[in-house]
Amino acid sequence: MRLARFIPVLLASGLALLVAAILLSALPANAATERDRGPGDYGYQYTDHPSRVSTGRTIALYIDRDFDDTERQRIVSAMRQWNYVLNGFVRFTARLLPEDVSSSEIAQIRRSGGWVVAKVDSSHPITRQGEGRQALAVTVGGSGGGFVYVIGDRIGRRDLTGVVMHEFGHVLGAGHDGYGLMAPVYNANAGHCIDRDAAGLVANAQHLPLSQMNWCEPARDYRSPMASRR
Ligand SMILES: [Zn+2]
């Protein structure tokens, strides 16, 4: 267990509350609608297991100001879907990175176990090493927080919410899995919501009871045409 990473020091959480208010006003007002629209469009729905009382374990995300409103909305959608899946056991919080963030502020974020979601392009050094050469996004970090690099010019018209949800799976300790959200290669026909396998990988990594979490399944009106094809 690496519980310590989820317990920010008191000073950092006071700071976080202050900055969170700025994020709320800077986010588009309709950000909440994205979550409901996203998975439904792809024929999925989430399970609805009773939510538990929050454990107070949080993971702080710091969103780069270079993301535009639509991109921020999609990142928030990815975060909300994970929070729904995590069902109170662990919760992501998000705020914008401070303007002209300094390296000492970044170091402070990492010391408190926070994760920076950074928008870069394919000229960034992260894209020239290892997995980064062909990736849409790269997550680097561990128990002391880290970075999720989103390689903006490679995303194109792909599903940014899905790409970021995959990376947040890594933030939560999941590795790759053959198919679905945590497949190692982006698939335009899969990975638009947090499936049971992805939730299971996180449950293992975080020592959580999968049966009390949520995950997406094919929606009822999506399943019936499949059944009639037999
Ligand atoms: Zn990956």
Side-chain angles (χ1 to χ4, degrees), residues 166-167 170 176 182-184:
H166 172 103
E167 299 307 319
H170 290 320
H176 285 142
M182 295 315 293

Side-chain angles (χ1 to χ4, degrees), residues 23 65 80 83 85 88 103 114 138 152 169 183 224:
L23 176 70
R65 285 174 184 269
R80 289 196 169 136
N83 283 347
V85 164
S103 56
V138 179
S224 45

Side-chain angles (χ1 to χ4, degrees), residues 11-29:
L11 178 68
S13 59
L15 183 70
L17 283 173
L18 183 70
V19 191
I22 298 165
L23 176 70
L24 285 175
S25 59
L27 283 169

Side-chain angles (χ1 to χ4, degrees), residues 54-229:
S54 171
T55 60
R57 287 171 67 186
T58 60
I59 301 175
L61 301 171
Y62 294 81
I63 314 297
D64 195 336
R65 285 174 184 269
D66 285 351
F67 290 109
D68 65 25
D69 281 353
T70 306
E71 293 165 333
R72 289 177 194 183
Q73 192 174 312
R74 291 185 174 142
I75 292 166
V76 167
S77 169
M79 180 190 83
R80 289 196 169 136
Q81 289 182 59
W82 269 116
N83 283 347
Y84 185 74
V85 164
L86 292 163
N87 215 9
F89 288 105
V90 182
R91 203 170 66 83
F92 281 114
T93 62
R95 64 219 65 168
L96 289 175
L97 263 185
E99 208 111 40
D100 301 318
V101 67
S102 67
S103 56
S104 69
E105 283 171 306
I106 294 280
Q108 169 60 34
I109 287 169
R110 298 214 47 188
R111 268 198 299 278
S112 65
W115 289 78
V116 175
V117 183
K119 186 180 184 181
V120 300
D121 64 27
S122 47
S123 69
H124 190 277
I126 196 75
T127 67
R128 290 189 217 117
Q129 36 188 278
E131 287 194 328
R133 287 201 191 88
Q134 290 166 45
L136 299 170
V138 179
T139 296
V140 182
S143 56
F147 288 85
V148 175
Y149 295 101
V150 176
I151 306 164
D153 56 339
R154 289 188 185 165
I155 303 281
R157 300 190 64 81
R158 293 180 183 88
D159 171 22
L160 177 63
T161 302
V163 169
V164 171
M165 266 189 312
H166 172 103
E167 299 307 319
F168 288 175
H170 290 320
V171 167
L172 289 160
H176 285 142
D177 180 43
Y179 182 79
L181 182 68
M182 295 315 293
V185 177
Y186 177 85
N187 175 349
N189 299 314
H192 300 295
C193 63
I194 303 164
D195 52 87
R196 194 173 189 279
D197 288 348
L201 290 168
V202 166
N204 279 341
Q206 301 280 342
H207 308 281
L208 304 176
L210 177 61
S211 63
Q212 294 174 50
M213 293 164 62
N214 286 304
W215 53 82
C216 69
E217 293 176 332
R220 246 174 254 126
D221 56 355
Y222 179 82
R223 229 181 260 154
S224 45
M226 298 285 288
S228 65
R229 221 178 282 160

